[in-house]
Amino acid sequence: MKTSDMKKMTYRDALRLGITEEMHRDENVIFMGEDIGLYGGAFGVSAGLLEEFGEDRILDTPIAEAAMVGTAVGAATTGLRPICEIMFMDFITLGMDALVNQAAKMRYMFGGQSQVPMVLRLPAGSGIGAAAQHSQSLEAWLCHVPGLKVVTPSTPAQAKGLIKAAIRDNNPVCFIEHKLLYDKVGLVPLDEDYLVEIGTTVVERPGKDVTIVAYGTTLAKAIEAADFLEEEGIKVEILNPVTLYPMDMKPIIESVIKTGCLIVAHEASKTGGLGGEIVARVVESEAFDYLNAPIIRLGGLDVPIPFNQELEASVVPQRNDFVHGVYRLLNRE
Amino acid sequence: MKTSDMKKMTYRDALRLGITEEMHRDENVIFMGEDIGLYGGAFGVSAGLLEEFGEDRILDTPIAEAAMVGTAVGAATTGLRPICEIMFMDFITLGMDALVNQAAKMRYMFGGQSQVPMVLRLPAGSGIGAAAQHSQSLEAWLCHVPGLKVVTPSTPAQAKGLIKAAIRDNNPVCFIEHKLLYDKVGLVPLDEDYLVEIGTTVVERPGKDVTIVAYGTTLAKAIEAADFLEEEGIKVEILNPVTLYPMDMKPIIESVIKTGCLIVAHEASKTGGLGGEIVARVVESEAFDYLNAPIIRLGGLDVPIPFNQELEASVVPQRNDFVHGVYRLLNRE
Amino acid sequence: MIELSEELLLRMYYKINQARFFEAKLDELVAKGKVHGAIHLSMGQEATGVMSCLALEEGDLVSLSHRGHAQAIGFGLDVNLMMAECLGKATGYCKGKGGSMHIADVENGNLGANGVVGGGFSLSCGAALTQKYQKTGKVVLCFAGDGATNGGNFHESLNLASVWKLPVVFLIENNQYGMSTPIEKHMNIENISDRSEAYNMPGLTIDGNDFLDVYNTVTKALRYARAGKGPVLIEAKTYRYNGHSQSDNQLYRDKQEVREWQKKDPVQKMKEYLREHRIFTEKQIQKMEDEAKASIDQALEFANASPEPQLNAVLEDVYAGGVN
Amino acid sequence: MIELSEELLLRMYYKINQARFFEAKLDELVAKGKVHGAIHLSMGQEATGVMSCLALEEGDLVSLSHRGHAQAIGFGLDVNLMMAECLGKATGYCKGKGGSMHIADVENGNLGANGVVGGGFSLSCGAALTQKYQKTGKVVLCFAGDGATNGGNFHESLNLASVWKLPVVFLIENNQYGMSTPIEKHMNIENISDRSEAYNMPGLTIDGNDFLDVYNTVTKALRYARAGKGPVLIEAKTYRYNGHSQSDNQLYRDKQEVREWQKKDPVQKMKEYLREHRIFTEKQIQKMEDEAKASIDQALEFANASPEPQLNAVLEDVYAGGVN
Ligand SMILES: Cc1ncc(C[n+]2csc(CCOP(=O)(O)OP(=O)(O)O)c2C)c(N)n1
Ligand SMILES: Cc1ncc(C[n+]2csc(CCOP(=O)(O)OP(=O)(O)O)c2C)c(N)n1
Ligand SMILES: [Mg+2]
Ligand SMILES: [Mg+2]
């Protein structure tokens, strides 16, 4: 793509651009959430959309996550394509029934009669001092629910391409946005048909010595580590599963076959996180025979997120965890 | 233990016995749920308890899972030790906020000020024709929430010993019961101090050729397979992590070091299930170097549970899946 | 008063009988152990389910409760496909994947029965939002039980529907119990319809065993909602004769109570009305009953003759293909 | 009329000022970027939080909303430990792990502020169940905002409390907005207290800026609950001056509206009352204010001088040890 067809913008603005384009493209796309109208949403993603699309399409809801998700499901089965913003991913706990028992299962239990094209936007993760009830990374739950799709962009370009693909998808898509990414700036394709296809894993950085799988903010830490290691002549290959479910394992397996070394990382609590799933799939694959060393899994500590800033930062994997992991795999420590 | 100190009874009766003993032992133990009084609970676990303990301690709730769980949490932080029955595990979707954002986090976010001694009983699993919204196995979600403990007994003796341990524990314990086990009969210790300690993995059957980790109803399938394979001279070692979180990995790792072969199984959807976690932990451990073959993970198909009986049965791992898995590991196929 | 044509009365009487016979047949099958899974019968409540659906206009939508056979039959579902679904056959509405608790006919506006108590409230809001947004002029009728009105979904959905003025009518079948729990033990008010005040929407309590009261009231409520005035809450007082499901030994009520309600049986009451008003001859009445009964016998034959789903169907229908 | 002793009036005036100064200080700190994380200020609403807690008896319990500083101060929490917690210090109520949104003092019956809107409703039911079961004679006071009454937790909890006759008083601080959403856009009724009718419990609307109205009404409600008559719902109409949190540019309201409410400022109104009734001299009043202010300056000093938590604290307090 020529840079002239791209524009520098934040992840937040890229999301908004994608949503705006899709709302112009299809008038059945509506957008609901708490304080997404005049207020522009807790993280500013919907700023200005009320003016542009009016009250019929930008709907402020009461503080009622169960009804919000259920309403989106009902609207989706009858012809609309709702986008739904849960202010903090933590509050999907209040909408799990509509999401898990209705949206995800409806098509199947009705024998294929219906479809539920909706996007559930879920700001996730720690780092803003919001403490235990506003900082969780719960993607692993959603990836354990057949019928849902789960995606998470890490760059502004991915944010735009993926939100558009999610809106066009005919299934319920959980769209996870790490709060620390909203201000991140990057080049974003202006092409209105630019999509990041659901079901893809992106090679963020080619390499040959060690494979790292990371997403969300952990990806940035992995890249920092790779930059650092590059100076020592170590070439890390970084893969970003922007679709967490169903995950495209092919590039990951190929990479492991090439490098023989794997680090899997996420911010979510290590136990029960997606890291285990990825490790298991690699071990089940032909890559197993190519592993030169035990796989390293980096994850958040198995604790709630604390308020204090330093404690908070200490919960999630940092650059040095990657660096030391790579050293360990390459027997440099 | 002498068999004279044991009595044959169903899993259902063993649960009730454990609850009854604990309710006699500590009058702060109360029991709430939908239709647990006169009706005796959807699966008959609480039959007769209303007569024995009265309306103050056996509390029928409205159909309001969010309030039920939250009320249990509030009661637990102020001195009671509530047992709470969610009629079907699927409906914990409606009580996730109180469980995950309150019960699991309260102690931590209050800096250790409080404790939440409560037991959440969760009948899980498929096999009774209850279809997609009444048949899920969602233990992996709960094992991804630091602050909770998660246990699941597979035999009547374990049911009694574990429910007692759960009631005595000072933390929120999710107690998962597979519906198909309620009628299962076995010898149960009558000793009122018989406990199955939380945090243990049980060696259900010693062996030397292949290690199988299984729990819930999948355990029975594994045992059937082991019986069958025994006739061919293959000795399978079966481990049952009755505490799913925090899981005692030691016996599992030791077993894999011995056998070099591992099958991990559960009824829950394979993707995102606990199998991945167990595989990852084994791979991270010293057992990695002892693996003679790729680990096999058996899990439910990644689909909602269908109504039709044959389809329903086809979703979950069966005896032959274990048999073929063992053959594959031992290169017999 | 709303005028009832002869043709409509005929349809009403036929359907209420169909509902009764359909469930009597299911009850038989359950007793014989021929049904896998839970079945919730609504015998005694049929006037509510059937007549309220007959009040709908072409294109209106419904969301059914877990106790939804009479509702489905009132809405016009094919009893052959319903019976096949209850028996898990490939020819059923859901290809045997849903069973009694998930019968749906989405294309025709039946958004399905729901196994989650109260699960339909918010789905109905969503369906109503579509009607409002697309200006279809259609209304959504949402069924639930008395017990369901104690759940958060009820409250959040009614509030949302009221604030957004959605074209939806919430119809509560108050059969006096949530499973084994009598209404006095699960709420502290006399009339559930009074809960409408918390949302400033009209609330009405009716005799759910009186086919006319149901039909007339729902018709008026639908008009109100269709006119863009917002949602309505209706409570229909009625009673279920059978246990909650097959595993219910009914310790929580005495037989006398059941007998009292049986004296107010909705099918009998309608029959008496027809006789009193001499709208049909005895022969015509008998004929309708016979035809209704025959349709159910036929449905069972259809279901029995239908194939089981193919095993590979288990992997199908998880995701919709294509993109927008 | 309830008699107010001089000593009580003194405590009231001191605490309402403490609350005001505490938050003014926090506001300053936020502006200077010295606070990590979200802070919800309740300036303008202090009479409600402070006076209702002063109506409690020794041993009664409270559950606070996310906007809970005034409530906590009314309940008697130590402003030193509160300030330390807001700054994430090891000496804070939660050792720096909770922050402003989770201030708690469980041992003394403060069950904590709650970051989940409506999260406290059911916790309060549970705490009230303990009081009832253990016959302690104590009551639970549960705070929440107007927006919280649209959530399922509100409905399920009030219904449960009513059916079980739990000793709990639900106090809704109706500050006219749920974040940016004005009450007319999130519910269709005038008085939130009318929602009590859905549960057949008493419901009262009061002037949340009038310290006497709050104190008297809550006192009566507590008596009612303590007598075993069941729960009470109180709605206190009031207003918040600041944005919802620090990141709020307040497009949703005009400054005139804020100014109108400031004319009814609860701290000023109480001061006027004291002057009118000549209960204290001007000097005494000034002294109380000065002392309240000084206590906050001290609190900040205490917090600033306090250590950060040790890094290994991150792994502590996940599980309670021991068994019963
Ligand atoms: C959320 C939820 N909780 C519990 C159940 C189990 N359950 C099924 S039907 C039922 C009773 C429902 O009572 P009501 O709403 O009055 O409907 P009725 O059965 O009387 O028609 C219960 C508790 C469920 N299906 N969903
Ligand atoms: C369940 C839930 N949804 C959303 C939020 C985000 N949020 C925090 S405060 C708030 C507004 C609450 O309004 P109200 O109950 O009136 O209390 P107020 O802030 O006005 O004191 C929102 C939406 C939350 N914390 N919890
Ligand atoms: Mg009922
Ligand atoms: Mg408010």
Side-chain angles (χ1 to χ4, degrees), chain A residues 25-30 32 56-57 59-68 70-75 77-81 97-98 101-102 104 106-115 145-149 167-171 245-246, chain C residues 61 85 93-95 97-99 102-107 110-116 119-120 122-131 133-135 152-153 156-157 159-160 163-164 166 313-324:
Chain A
R25 180 172 179 266
D26 181 350
E27 67 172 16
N28 282 324
V29 178
I30 60 163
M32 59 175 107
D56 288 350
R57 298 184 72 187
L59 296 131
D60 271 337
T61 70
I63 307 170
E65 284 80 5
M68 193 200 308
T71 297
V73 177
T77 44
T78 50
L80 300 187
R81 305 183 78 84
D97 185 68
N101 288 334
Q102 314 292 344
M106 212 170 248
R107 180 176 181 80
Y108 190 83
M109 70 190 180
F110 294 166
Q113 287 185 69
S114 57
Q115 61 179 32
V145 182
L148 301 181
K149 296 187 179 182
I167 295 168
R168 294 186 192 186
D169 199 281
N170 288 327
N171 298 283
Y245 186 68
Chain C
L61 299 99
E85 189 56 40
Y93 269 108
C94 312
K95 303 183 191 161
K97 284 180 180 169
H102 302 300
I103 288 174
D105 182 12
V106 178
E107 203 187 326
N110 181 330
L111 302 175
N114 210 311
V116 177
S122 57
L123 302 185
S124 298
C125 286
L129 177 63
T130 303
Q131 309 318 310
Y133 182 76
Q134 295 184 341
K135 301 192 174 63
N153 270 318
E156 293 191 6
S157 300
N159 185 60
L160 190 85
V163 170
W164 289 2
L166 297 177
V314 76
L315 292 169
E316 294 164 4
D317 302 323
V318 183
Y319 291 100
V323 287
N324 185 37

Side-chain angles (χ1 to χ4, degrees), chain B residues 25-30 32 56-57 59-68 70-75 77-81 97-98 101-102 104 106-115 145-149 167-171 245-246, chain D residues 61 85 93-95 97-99 102-107 110-116 119-120 122-131 133-135 152-153 156-157 159-160 163-164 166 313-324:
Chain B
R25 180 172 180 266
D26 182 350
E27 66 172 16
N28 282 324
V29 178
I30 58 162
M32 59 174 106
D56 287 352
R57 299 184 71 188
L59 297 132
D60 272 337
T61 69
I63 306 170
E65 284 79 5
M68 194 200 307
T71 297
V73 177
T77 44
T78 49
L80 301 187
R81 305 182 77 84
D97 185 68
N101 288 335
Q102 313 292 346
M106 210 171 250
R107 180 176 182 79
Y108 190 83
M109 70 192 178
F110 294 166
Q113 288 185 67
S114 56
Q115 60 179 31
V145 181
L148 301 181
K149 296 187 178 183
I167 294 169
R168 294 186 192 185
D169 200 279
N170 288 328
N171 297 283
Y245 187 67
Chain D
L61 300 100
E85 189 56 41
Y93 269 108
C94 312
K95 304 181 191 161
K97 285 180 178 169
H102 303 299
I103 287 173
D105 182 10
V106 178
E107 205 188 323
N110 181 331
L111 302 174
N114 210 311
V116 177
S122 56
L123 302 186
S124 297
C125 286
L129 177 62
T130 302
Q131 309 318 311
Y133 182 76
Q134 297 184 338
K135 302 193 173 60
N153 270 319
E156 293 192 3
S157 300
N159 185 60
L160 190 84
V163 170
W164 288 2
L166 297 177
V314 76
L315 292 170
E316 293 163 4
D317 301 323
V318 182
Y319 292 100
V323 288
N324 185 37

Side-chain angles (χ1 to χ4, degrees), chain C residues 121-318:
Chain C
F121 290 123
S122 57
L123 302 185
S124 298
C125 286
L129 177 63
T130 303
Q131 309 318 310
K132 186 181 176 191
Y133 182 76
Q134 295 184 341
K135 301 192 174 63
T136 62
K138 300 305 170 197
V139 180
V140 182
L141 177 63
C142 171
F143 289 97
D146 47 293
T149 70
N150 296 319
N153 270 318
F154 171 82
H155 179 70
E156 293 191 6
S157 300
L158 268 73
N159 185 60
L160 190 85
S162 170
V163 170
W164 289 2
K165 270 191 185 283
L166 297 177
V168 52
V169 174
F170 299 101
L171 180 45
I172 307 303
E173 299 196 38
N174 177 358
N175 61 6
Q176 318 300 323
Y177 291 89
M179 210 153 150
S180 72
T181 311
I183 192 154
E184 316 85 68
K185 281 193 66 180
H186 69 67
M187 62 176 70
N188 249 344
I189 52 170
E190 185 83 10
N191 291 323
I192 296 177
S193 63
D194 289 348
R195 293 195 155 166
S196 67
E197 285 166 31
Y199 319 104
N200 193 20
M201 66 169 78
L204 303 154
T205 291
I206 59 173
D207 177 353
N209 282 16
D210 182 328
F211 82 102
L212 268 180
D213 201 7
V214 175
Y215 184 82
N216 288 337
T217 308
V218 175
T219 300
K220 276 182 236 159
L222 291 168
R223 268 188 211 149
Y224 180 93
R226 205 181 308 281
K229 294 183 186 165
V232 179
L233 174 65
I234 301 174
E235 171 197 18
K237 303 233 196 227
T238 181
Y239 198 79
R240 90 173 129 70
Y241 299 154
N242 299 73
H244 166 74
S245 67
Q246 52 264 53
S247 49
D248 179 359
N249 55 14
Q250 301 179 56
L251 293 175
Y252 51 87
R253 63 181 183 187
D254 57 33
K255 297 214 171 95
Q256 186 52 32
E257 185 182 286
V258 183
R259 277 193 294 268
E260 287 303 317
W261 276 92
Q262 275 168 335
K263 290 185 197 152
K264 303 179 270 186
D265 182 74
V267 184
Q268 278 308 315
K269 272 176 82 172
M270 177 160 190
K271 188 170 183 167
E272 280 154 29
Y273 175 96
L274 294 181
R275 278 177 173 159
E276 249 170 53
H277 293 73
R278 299 174 190 274
I279 298 169
F280 301 109
T281 63
E282 277 303 310
K283 224 170 129 186
Q284 281 174 311
I285 289 176
Q286 187 61 45
K287 185 161 168 261
M288 285 186 270
E289 290 174 13
D290 291 345
E291 281 177 12
K293 186 158 194 308
S295 77
I296 301 307
D297 292 336
Q298 237 170 52
L300 182 58
E301 269 172 48
F302 171 83
N304 280 334
S306 292
E308 298 281 329
Q310 305 248 305
L311 219 54
N312 61 2
V314 76
L315 292 169
E316 294 164 4
D317 302 323
V318 183

